[in-house]
Amino acid sequence: MKALVTGGAGFIGSHLVDHLVESGFEVVVVDDLSMGAISNIKHWEQITIYVADVCDDKFMQQLLADERPDYIYFLAAIAIDKYATERFVLAYGELYDLPTVCVRFFNVYGPRQNPSSPYSGVLSILTDCLKTQRPFTLFGDGTQTRDFVYVSDVIKALWLITEHQVQHEVINIANGLETSLNGIIQMYQEIAGQQLEIKRAEQRGGEVDHSVASIGKLARLNYESEWPLRRGLTKYWEGECEHARS
């Protein structure tokens, strides 16, 4: 079986590529490396990598004709385009009987997330501040909540969706639990054994106060998190410390 992963050198994409290779798939990656890096891919010598822009229609049409993948995981996107892409994918799936499914990732964290990326989550920024002893800027009072999910659970969810051959659905990938920023900061300080210097700033306009996902569709696929927040954060921090020493 062959899988095409766009954005496969990025944070989530590279973890998915690892899983697919380890599961015996032939894997093709397309990534323009604007936010990803070849170094994110552990099995680069076993896959085919195209450094290209998925917006290049001629290239993508030729690629699909040449490679003929059995599965396509489209992870190359920017935030203002994602909802529009979702609508197009579902519409084309219905119109042309394509087995399409769309997923919505909530606050994913874990290794390989670039803290300088404009799409970086708060946990990668917190991690970077703890590693470098830099102050962390907290916007608002810290009572705002988010639904955090470790990247390994995200890959597990994607694989369950693939195995169950889900079609024409939109599925939230999250843990269905909300944690305040104050709570996450306190927990992470305990895990790291460090005190974080916090600079407070006015809450940013338009920021959502509370965010938590409904994961009923995932639950019906027998999804259960293997990485509750404290365990995931501990694994993330230990991995970052080991990487810094190497």
Side-chain angles (χ1 to χ4, degrees), residues 11 35 79 82 107-110 112-128 134 136 148 204 236:
F11 167 42
M35 284 174 283
K82 289 182 180 178
N107 299 89
V108 186
Y109 70 98
R112 306 179 200 166
Q113 191 171 32
N114 182 356
S116 62
S117 165
Y119 310 107
S120 183
V122 66
L123 283 175
S124 66
I125 298 170
L126 271 172
T127 301
D128 189 58
R134 291 189 298 108
F136 172 76
F148 297 100
R204 292 171 289 196
Y236 185 22

Side-chain angles (χ1 to χ4, degrees), residues 27-202:
V27 179
V28 177
V29 167
V30 177
D31 199 303
D32 66 3
L33 304 183
S34 58
M35 284 174 283
I38 297 298
S39 59
N40 283 338
I41 302 175
K42 291 193 300 186
H43 305 282
W44 63 268
E45 73 285 352
Q46 298 178 42
I47 68 176
T48 303
I49 303 175
Y50 295 91
V51 179
D53 188 338
V54 294
C55 293
D56 185 337
D57 291 346
K58 184 177 179 181
F59 165 77
M60 289 300 296
Q61 288 173 11
Q62 189 62 54
L63 172 74
L64 292 173
D66 292 343
E67 297 289 356
R68 302 184 64 83
D70 300 287
Y71 295 93
I72 299 174
Y73 297 89
F74 195 89
L75 299 177
I78 57 176
I80 60 172
D81 289 346
K82 289 182 180 178
Y83 183 72
T85 302
E86 177 184 291
R87 295 297 96 192
F88 279 119
V89 166
L90 292 175
Y92 271 74
E94 294 283 0
L95 283 170
Y96 300 107
D97 194 28
L98 297 173
T100 58
V101 61
C102 295
V103 298
R104 295 176 179 173
F105 299 128
F106 282 65
N107 299 89
V108 186
Y109 70 98
R112 306 179 200 166
Q113 191 171 32
N114 182 356
S116 62
S117 165
Y119 310 107
S120 183
V122 66
L123 283 175
S124 66
I125 298 170
L126 271 172
T127 301
D128 189 58
C129 288
L130 283 165
K131 284 170 60 179
T132 60
Q133 299 293 299
R134 291 189 298 108
F136 172 76
T137 302
L138 176 62
F139 296 94
D141 62 6
T143 59
Q144 56 266 53
T145 60
R146 296 292 183 267
D147 190 339
F148 297 100
V149 57
Y150 190 61
V151 66
S152 296
D153 275 340
V154 171
I155 303 308
K156 176 183 178 179
L158 288 173
W159 191 241
L160 280 172
I161 291 166
T162 303
E163 285 187 314
H164 284 80
Q165 300 182 358
V166 179
Q167 299 183 32
H168 313 310
E169 291 272 12
V170 178
I171 299 181
N172 295 330
I173 296 186
N175 276 327
L177 302 170
E178 56 184 330
T179 305
S180 72
L181 294 188
N182 287 332
I184 203 78
I185 290 169
Q186 180 61 38
M187 184 184 296
Y188 215 178
Q189 288 180 138
E190 293 170 4
I191 290 167
Q194 297 180 28
Q195 223 28 52
L196 191 65
E197 180 185 347
I198 297 175
K199 293 172 61 177
R200 296 191 175 271
E202 291 293 319

